[in-house]
Amino acid sequence: MRSAFPELLARQGQPAAIATLVDKTGSAPLPIGTAMVVWQDGTVRGWISGGCVDADVVAVAERVLATGRSELREYGPPSPFGVGLTCGGRLRVLVEPVYPELLTAAAEVASDRPVVLRVDLETGERGVSWSTRAEGASLVGSAFVASFLPRPRLVVVSSTAVTNPLVRLASELGWRPVVVEHRPVFAAQVLGAEVVPRMSGVELDRRCAVAVLSHEPAVDVPAIMAAFSAGSAYVGAMGSAATHRDRVRRLREAGAGRADLARLRSPIGLAGVGGRGPVELAVAVAAELGSAGA
């Protein structure tokens, strides 16, 4: 659902229906909370099943746009008489006109504030609250509940050839990229991310990931130590084996312990991705973020 919010906000006032996967059992390709938006002009964004029932969902959304009445659809295995899921799962899909509470939630998410959206499937009652401790979507009794946390930050230390590809990938994967770069000429080359001159300008926490792309000890060591101190979910640093050995020595001198150093991913990037150009390295780092559970 989160991925639908930017265009919903950009096209406010244009008639649209949103289809949301509110429940599933058995095998199904996409998680609860997945959404598709269908505008009156025929624009469609998103998927519900990855292909099996999406054409039918679009048709239902067009009907909802015409009638103004929500519909709750159920899909199971295919039959000779209708569409279905070849994977054998069962889905429940709520299709409804875009409503004010949805846009309120979208605006909160766009501002990186925590928000919870609740829709009662029996009464149609909708509500928004502003406190949540976890992100996810589920069916709670008769209500579909979607909770959104602020995007976790990916702090990229230094502007290099890898930075912009990594920023683009991270944004697509749900991260909020922040680039730390003190050199104005290189800071000006960063696209699609907030830029700050020092690590002190970034609030680190346990949800953050820190990717150090610099090769300057005066920059690398303080950034890595700050990530260790914050307990950041991922800490990676670029460099050769020789650079890594020298960096570890400097980190020990700065007070890093054995447990901290064991968390450091260096050289940065998941092995086996292939290629070492800037884009390939960005893909390798993004893959390592996922494999580390960050």
Side-chain angles (χ1 to χ4, degrees):
M1 183 177 276
R2 180 191 282 266
S3 62
F5 287 165
E7 195 162 359
L8 278 174
L9 292 173
R11 299 184 64 171
Q12 282 190 70
Q14 300 180 33
I18 182 166
T20 307
L21 177 57
V22 296
D23 193 21
K24 70 173 187 175
T25 56
S27 178
L30 299 174
I32 293 175
T34 297
M36 170 192 287
V37 182
V38 179
W39 278 268
Q40 197 168 59
D41 65 4
T43 304
V44 178
R45 294 287 185 269
W47 304 89
I48 292 296
S49 70
C52 297
V53 302
D54 295 279
D56 189 70
V57 173
V58 171
V60 174
E62 291 171 343
R63 185 165 63 243
V64 165
L65 278 168
T67 65
R69 294 193 297 271
S70 301
E71 294 189 27
L72 182 62
R73 294 278 290 178
E74 296 193 12
Y75 297 97
S79 73
F81 308 105
V83 297
L85 297 166
T86 57
C87 57
R90 292 185 178 275
L91 307 180
R92 296 175 73 195
V93 181
L94 178 63
V95 187
E96 53 193 336
V98 169
Y99 49 93
E101 293 86 354
L102 179 67
L103 295 174
T104 297
E108 294 299 296
V109 169
S111 298
D112 274 313
R113 289 190 286 264
V115 65
V116 179
L117 177 67
R118 184 180 186 277
V119 181
D120 192 301
L121 303 186
E122 293 182 356
T123 67
E125 182 181 357
R126 307 175 181 107
V128 175
S129 58
W130 282 266
S131 177
T132 183
R133 294 183 178 180
E135 177 152 347
S138 60
L139 193 65
V140 182
S142 65
F144 168 72
V145 179
S147 302
F148 304 93
L149 287 173
R151 290 174 298 163
R153 283 183 296 277
L154 171 62
V155 182
V156 182
V157 180
S158 192
S159 173
T160 73
V162 179
T163 300
N164 282 337
L166 180 56
V167 162
R168 288 195 298 272
L169 278 172
S171 298
E172 287 289 326
L173 293 170
W175 295 86
R176 177 185 169 189
V178 180
V179 177
V180 180
E181 178 53 77
H182 65 283
R183 302 165 297 180
V185 66
F186 295 114
Q189 296 190 50
V190 175
L191 302 175
E194 177 186 359
V195 182
V196 297
R198 292 173 295 277
M199 283 295 291
S200 59
V202 183
E203 183 180 348
L204 297 176
D205 57 33
R206 293 181 180 275
R207 298 179 69 223
C208 284
V210 178
V212 178
L213 306 184
S214 167
H215 294 89
E216 299 178 42
V219 174
D220 296 4
V221 171
I224 294 169
M225 291 300 294
F228 286 162
S229 178
S232 297
Y234 170 91
V235 187
M238 183 175 288
S240 64
T243 299
H244 173 70
R245 288 192 295 270
D246 181 66
R247 183 182 287 133
V248 167
R249 177 184 62 80
R250 292 174 185 274
L251 288 168
R252 286 197 179 109
E253 291 173 353
R258 182 177 296 178
D260 288 328
L261 294 172
R263 295 176 50 230
L264 178 62
R265 304 294 184 111
S266 177
I268 198 170
L270 191 67
V273 171
R276 304 316 280 175
V279 175
E280 291 90 349
L281 279 169
V283 171
V285 175
E288 190 171 61
L289 284 171
S291 70

